[in-house]
Amino acid sequence: MINGAYGSGKTSAANMLQPLIENSMIYDPEEIGYMLRNLIPEVVRQVDERTDDFQDMELWRILTVKTVKEVKQKYNKHLIVPMTIYKEQYFKYIYNGFKEIDEDLHHFCLLASEETIYERLAKRGDVLGGWQYQQTPRCVKALQDNNFQLHITTDKLETSEVIEVIIGKINKDSRRRQL
């Protein structure tokens, strides 16, 4: 899992990491969210699911985990999962669900300052003041919590340097399990 605020570098890291991890593929749970948003009208959703964030839909969390299970069973690939998930209850559900499927789960949380995030969002063409901008303060604050370890501060790192940290940690954990 590569977690972090919108604009923290998750997708760039995942795309650079994927060719370096043999037998891997990228799994983006946002695709499930887009599908559910189109499939289930707001009036059908539970009251607490009627927000602008598809992660508030319980079915999104359930399908995110179930899809990982099915993809792992069918294709036997290492999955690289870039996602912004900062609500602790949702994170725990998904993390624990993934951990049941693959005990060798790694979670990396890319941190950056609000200023860096805003610069990156602007650089990639997000609408100034749009949804991702509005989420930045709460994401940045929430993801600093120790529940979202392993933190990698990316303000001054190139994506290749972030990848080095991730690969280093995966290799270190792999060696430790072999002992």
Side-chain angles (χ1 to χ4, degrees), residues 152-173:
I152 304 171
T153 303
T154 66
D155 293 275
K156 296 180 179 168
L157 296 180
E158 296 293 324
T159 305
S160 59
E161 295 171 302
V162 172
I163 296 306
E164 287 177 24
V165 173
I166 291 172
I167 292 288
K169 174 67 172 154
I170 290 171
N171 289 339
K172 181 179 176 183
D173 288 352

Side-chain angles (χ1 to χ4, degrees), residues 59-123:
L59 190 54
W60 175 81
R61 297 185 297 277
I62 292 167
L63 290 177
T64 294
V65 173
K66 286 187 181 248
T67 302
V68 162
K69 181 178 181 182
E70 295 302 321
V71 169
K72 289 282 291 175
Q73 286 178 346
K74 178 78 174 171
Y75 302 105
N76 194 30
K77 298 275 190 187
H78 298 291
L79 300 179
I80 300 167
V81 185
M83 64 189 308
T84 297
I85 185 154
Y86 67 91
K87 294 176 183 174
E88 188 176 348
Q89 176 185 354
Y90 301 172
F91 171 75
K92 285 182 178 180
Y93 179 89
I94 289 173
Y95 180 87
N96 291 334
F98 287 1
K99 191 81 170 165
E100 285 180 22
I101 296 162
D102 187 347
E103 65 182 41
D104 293 332
L105 174 66
H106 294 274
H107 175 264
F108 301 95
C109 186
L110 308 185
L111 300 179
S113 68
E114 286 183 36
E115 295 76 25
T116 298
I117 298 290
Y118 293 143
E119 289 172 14
R120 291 175 180 170
L121 292 173
K123 186 176 180 180

